[in-house]
Amino acid sequence: MPDLEKSAAPGDPGRGAAPSEPEPIKAVPLRKPGRWIAAAAILVLLGLFIYGAATNPAYQWDTYARYLFDSRILSGAVVTLELTVLAMAIAIALGTVLAVMRLSPNPVLRATAWVYLWIFRGTPVFVQLVFWGLFPSIYRQIQLGVPFGPQFFELDVQGLQAAFTFAVIGLGLNEAAYMAEIVRAGINSVGEGQREASVALGMSWSQTMRRTVLPQAMRVIIPPTGNELIGMLKTTSLVTAIPLSTDLYGRARDIYGVNFQPIPLLLVTATWYLAITSVLMVGQYYLERHYSRGVSRQLTAKQLQELADAQSVVKAK
């Protein structure tokens, strides 16, 4: 009988031959000279600006260095931080209440919240602060009691020296109108199924908002709230309308009103605002990362390494 087995010709893959691995692809990254040219141009322009600013006598850098850590400037920075924190605390608390009122099935609550937002979002914050500065002239006394009867409480507003308090109230009430819309957007971002499941478990509407919706809405609320906090820090410079001159900008204005050197004092103010804003941005980053856990599908390097180790253990078994 003829031999049915044929020897494999050179170059033909035999039945028992191991498949050859493909050669690795030598990828050559695409060169992008435009990036290097743009970066070089930006560095040149930045260097020219820094050199021009350093050699320009109008900036008065010696005065800038003398007042950068002045005790009056430092105390003004502390007052600015206090205004920012207290006003934002009022804004977040009141804004959350207003957002819940706007989403409430009660038409009276919805109408009340809408009127509040219409007034405070429709008028400039500087004008509102001017009114708060004139508050002792508009309401000289506040009385609480029975109409045409005995008075239980009486407050002499005109005799109060409460410019800081009026500044906090004015900033907080204005910011609450914007925080209400931010919180409402965060609440609306939560799926309707979450609310239905909470209702099915026997929760009331307020319990659903407090226990289910608001915790999940935080990842949407935090980023714009951080921006509003930074904006509030800079808006505190408008409290001169109260008038209040103990904040950062007010202290700098008082100093250059005496030495007639506004440029270096404004640079000192800008430096402190920038420093405080940078710290707030770092805090915002970590807060966003905390509330966004489990949202992104992108794995970290540590998670990828743990996944690779787990797969190697499974293959070894």
Side-chain angles (χ1 to χ4, degrees), residues 4 24 45 65 80 111 113 125 130 147 149 179 207 215 230 243 256 263 282 297 299 307:
L4 299 177
L45 292 175
T80 295
V125 60
V130 170
M179 282 302 305
Q207 290 175 335
I230 294 173
Y256 72 68
I263 295 178
V282 172
R297 294 185 177 182
L299 299 179
L307 182 60

Side-chain angles (χ1 to χ4, degrees), residues 82-204:
E82 292 175 348
L83 284 171
T84 303
V85 172
L86 294 176
M88 280 303 297
I90 295 175
I92 292 174
L94 183 57
T96 303
V97 174
L98 290 170
V100 174
M101 288 171 63
R102 286 207 65 187
L103 297 172
S104 171
N106 190 328
V108 177
L109 295 180
R110 289 201 309 269
T112 303
W114 186 88
V115 170
Y116 182 96
L117 268 61
W118 174 60
I119 294 175
F120 282 92
R121 293 175 64 192
T123 55
V125 60
F126 186 82
V127 175
Q128 296 176 25
L129 290 175
V130 170
F131 269 101
W132 281 106
L134 297 174
F135 189 84
S137 300
I138 300 173
Y139 299 100
R140 299 184 179 183
Q141 288 184 343
I142 297 178
Q143 297 178 351
L144 180 63
V146 179
F148 308 104
Q151 302 296 328
F152 305 117
F153 175 78
E154 183 176 350
L155 178 63
D156 184 12
V157 180
Q158 203 167 25
L160 293 177
Q161 301 296 328
F164 181 86
T165 303
F166 288 141
V168 171
I169 294 174
L171 292 172
L173 293 182
N174 175 265
E175 185 62 31
Y178 298 92
M179 282 302 305
E181 292 299 287
I182 293 174
V183 175
R184 186 171 69 92
I187 292 175
N188 289 333
S189 68
V190 180
E192 191 67 26
Q194 299 288 333
R195 306 179 193 181
E196 294 175 354
S198 300
V199 173
L201 291 174
M203 293 186 185
S204 63

